[in-house]
Amino acid sequence: MMTMDGTSTNDPATRGIAPDGRTAGTVLGALRLDGSASVTFRRGYPTDPADLWDAVTKPGRLARWLGPVYGDLVPGGRFELRMGADDSASDQNATGVVQSCDPPRSFAVEWCFPGERPSEVEVRVEPAPASDVGERAVLVLVHTRLETAQAVGYGAGWHTSLDQLADHLAGIAIRDWDARFTELIPAYRAAAAPD
């Protein structure tokens, strides 16, 4: 089995997902399915860290690839991310509290989605290693405190959203979220299945 950085592991609680090939570099999403499930992505992008930070923190840019975000985007502030329709009553809105923010390196939020217990999302932006040809910045996204079934869905969901981020950064048409998610979810379900 593979971890997020492409190394082998004998840990049966970690399952890796291969990249879709549309984005540059190696893209692996790691599912951790033991006691407290999680999803981790480490993805390189052909832009500098400042631009990547801007793309994942500025409401105007987030709206282009993830969805409109509203609220007080400072530590302790509440937010609402509208991933479906831009409607405050939508059942596709994530809400939560900004737990920390260290521009231009990292932020963490409490993540509340309708019908789920609160979880946590941490995002880090790092310079890409010199060995990663064509990539200048790396995004690390870790979604923790999940239930196993949630980790599978969030694996495919974050994978889809990070593909959309790649499209945005490349200046190409943003692929359809529903179609891409539908394409990816079988692979995540298979990766989560016991051996």
Side-chain angles (χ1 to χ4, degrees):
M1 287 174 267
M2 305 297 285
T3 65
M4 67 178 178
D5 61 3
T7 59
S8 278
T9 180
N10 292 322
D11 182 354
T14 303
R15 311 262 194 251
I17 303 297
D20 73 346
R22 187 168 179 195
T23 58
T26 301
V27 181
L28 298 174
L31 301 176
R32 180 146 200 94
L33 303 175
D34 60 358
S36 180
S38 65
V39 178
T40 302
F41 287 88
R42 179 179 181 83
R43 237 191 232 200
Y45 294 97
T47 191
D48 61 68
D51 184 52
L52 183 55
W53 177 258
D54 191 68
V56 299
T57 60
K58 299 293 183 194
R61 291 191 70 187
L62 279 166
R64 294 180 205 154
W65 65 273
L66 186 59
V69 64
Y70 299 91
D72 194 11
L73 303 179
V74 298
R78 298 198 61 75
F79 72 90
E80 179 180 63
L81 174 63
R82 298 178 182 173
M83 294 180 291
D86 188 0
D87 176 358
S88 63
S90 173
D91 64 355
Q92 296 298 306
N93 296 347
T95 61
V97 176
V98 178
Q99 295 176 326
S100 66
C101 187
D102 181 21
R105 290 181 275 298
S106 66
F107 68 87
V109 298
E110 174 190 58
W111 180 271
C112 301
F113 199 77
E116 297 177 357
R117 68 179 186 195
S119 54
E120 184 174 311
V121 176
E122 178 187 3
V123 173
R124 294 188 311 271
V125 173
E126 307 168 349
S131 60
D132 290 354
V133 177
E135 297 174 1
R136 296 169 31 217
V138 172
L139 181 104
V140 179
L141 183 146
V142 183
H143 194 151
T144 59
R145 296 182 9 219
L146 296 169
E147 296 175 15
T148 298
Q150 291 175 303
V152 171
Y154 277 114
W158 283 121
H159 189 133
T160 298
S161 294
L162 294 177
D163 285 352
Q164 290 180 311
L165 172 59
D167 297 344
H168 167 67
L169 291 169
I172 61 176
I174 306 295
R175 68 191 88 190
D176 179 75
W177 196 93
D178 290 329
R180 184 67 176 135
F181 179 84
T182 298
E183 180 182 341
L184 289 168
I185 194 68
Y188 278 87
R189 285 182 180 136
D195 293 330

